[in-house]
Amino acid sequence: MMKISKKMTASVLAVALAMSLSACGHWSKRDRNTALGAGAGAAGGAILTDGSTLGTLGGAAVGGIIGHQVGK
């Protein structure tokens, strides 16, 4: 039972990843930079604040703004 569950989970995650990557195919360079900046900022904020929600959201906001401005 456990083996089937792990295979099913892996399959679902693979499909979800493929769908999420294909959804971003039509984005402009500026949109991609904004999303990448927000993701990197969220990761950085979470690391620097030991997983604080406010730190993660703040990092995402700052990273998104920086990513958006880089494309200008």
Side-chain angles (χ1 to χ4, degrees):
M1 176 85 172
M2 193 68 153
K3 206 174 224 184
I4 294 172
S5 178
K6 286 183 180 182
K7 286 183 180 181
M8 180 63 111
T9 302
S11 298
V12 169
L13 287 175
V15 169
L17 178 64
M19 289 175 62
S20 66
L21 290 175
S22 66
C24 303
H26 67 281
W27 285 8
S28 69
K29 185 175 181 181
R30 182 179 239 175
D31 292 339
R32 278 179 279 181
N33 287 343
T34 302
L36 287 172
I47 290 169
L48 291 174
T49 62
D50 293 326
S52 164
T53 303
L54 186 59
T56 303
L57 292 175
V62 171
I65 291 169
I66 291 171
H68 185 69
Q69 295 301 317
V70 166
K72 278 189 170 181

